[in-house]
Amino acid sequence: MPSLEDADTYLVNGVDLRSHAWWLEVAEGLADAPEPRGDDLEIPGMHGALDPHAADTAARRRYGPGTITFRMGVKGVDPDTGAVPDDTLAEYFTHLDGLQRLFNTRRVELVHPRGDGDRRATARLAAPIRAVREPSSPWFGRFTAQLTIPAAFWTGPGDVTASATVATGGVLNLAGFAGGNAPITDAIIDFGPGNNPTLIQGGTYVAYDGVITAGRRLVIDCGDWSAGYGSGAVWSPDQGAIGYNPGPSWFELDPTAGDPPAAVLTHTGGGTMNVMLTAPPTYLTS
């Protein structure tokens, strides 16, 4: 049986699973990607089916909640034979109780340390914890915890900010999000002074139909559909002047579109305009 010291580990509410388990399965079933939602439409008289999400200007399919299943061997059980010597029985129950406490909480904060940076998710227990304790079983002390990730995706350890000051049609380089493979719908987009800015990625855009005067900034939060002034002078942006396509999010960044991914800023009135985009990179799995 592989040792956990030689394999991946996870932190659960800040506790390294290596403190309670000899081994952890890190292959099939440990980190499954959430399933896309939305069916094709069968139309009478038409061959095949219509994919309503196929066009570049159509909203992409949404994802269901994420899942992750931990299977591990509790310390106190011999990792090779499954036996529990008399002098380790108390240790086994201590670690079993510790694992139950870790996973049976309202919020389970997961961290997967990786060579390319941690990935994080907030989860909850999806099913009663199973601990196999039949003495005849070669998996005596096998512990399984099935978790649901309501927000669907894993994120990087912190926010990434991309910034550019460009003439109309200039490029906002989003290389900091390269490597991500899940759509980002909760970005904070910060426009500097200028006229009628539009941030475009493929068939997706968000725009403000109006003037952001000198000293002001327009900050739109795509996660909660709010608009504010950020670090600029105080003013009241007209939220009704914000346009977007295709929705339902104000802006959905696709980190897989381009190498590196990028967006284009257009505006009117001449000169240059500043735009910043801030969000955590997102991933389908840990």
Side-chain angles (χ1 to χ4, degrees):
M1 183 61 60
S3 167
L4 193 57
E5 281 73 17
D6 299 325
D8 273 338
T9 189
Y10 286 77
L11 305 183
V12 178
N13 291 337
V15 177
D16 193 324
L17 288 180
R18 286 176 291 194
S19 63
H20 290 298
W22 286 118
W23 57 266
L24 172 70
E25 289 184 357
V26 294
E28 182 180 356
L30 183 62
D32 294 333
E35 295 184 2
R37 298 197 307 252
D39 297 328
D40 294 339
L41 303 176
E42 295 184 8
I43 300 177
M46 174 182 171
H47 295 294
L50 175 67
D51 180 359
H53 306 278
D56 288 341
T57 55
R60 66 183 291 170
R61 295 181 186 275
R62 318 315 285 176
Y63 285 91
T67 61
I68 186 167
T69 300
F70 291 101
R71 299 181 181 92
M72 66 198 83
V74 181
K75 283 188 175 181
V77 178
D78 188 294
D80 297 316
T81 67
V84 185
D86 290 341
D87 60 349
T88 65
L89 186 59
E91 179 187 4
Y92 165 73
F93 283 114
T94 296
H95 290 299
L96 182 61
D97 287 344
L99 287 168
Q100 293 278 7
R101 285 195 301 272
L102 278 182
F103 289 101
N104 275 290
T105 57
R106 183 182 297 271
R107 291 163 58 90
V108 181
E109 301 294 340
L110 303 175
V111 178
H112 182 196
R114 296 167 45 111
D116 58 352
D118 295 351
R119 293 188 185 177
R120 303 171 183 270
T122 298
R124 59 175 173 78
L125 199 61
I129 286 176
R130 296 175 56 247
V132 179
R133 296 180 52 209
E134 294 82 1
S136 61
S137 170
W139 295 105
F140 188 79
R142 183 185 177 109
F143 179 94
T144 300
Q146 299 175 354
L147 303 178
T148 294
I149 302 171
F153 308 133
W154 294 71
T155 66
D159 289 340
V160 170
T161 296
S163 179
T165 301
V166 295
T168 186
V171 173
L172 174 62
N173 189 313
L174 300 172
F177 300 96
N181 53 20
I184 297 172
T185 58
D186 57 356
I188 296 174
I189 300 173
D190 185 339
F191 293 109
N195 303 339
N196 308 309
T198 302
L199 188 66
I200 309 166
Q201 189 193 43
T204 298
Y205 72 81
V206 63
Y208 184 73
D209 184 14
V211 177
I212 307 168
T213 59
R216 292 179 173 177
R217 299 196 71 88
L218 168 65
V219 180
I220 62 174
D221 189 327
C222 300
D224 64 8
W225 293 277
S226 65
Y229 51 81
S231 61
V234 176
W235 68 298
S236 298
D238 178 6
Q239 188 162 318
I242 297 173
Y244 58 94
N245 185 77
S249 306
W250 270 355
F251 188 79
E252 182 171 303
L253 189 158
D254 182 357
T256 69
D259 185 18
V264 174
L265 175 65
T266 65
H267 52 93
T268 62
T272 61
M273 186 174 186
N274 176 254
V275 61
M276 294 187 291
L277 185 149
T278 302
T282 52
Y283 307 91
L284 297 174
T285 65
S286 69

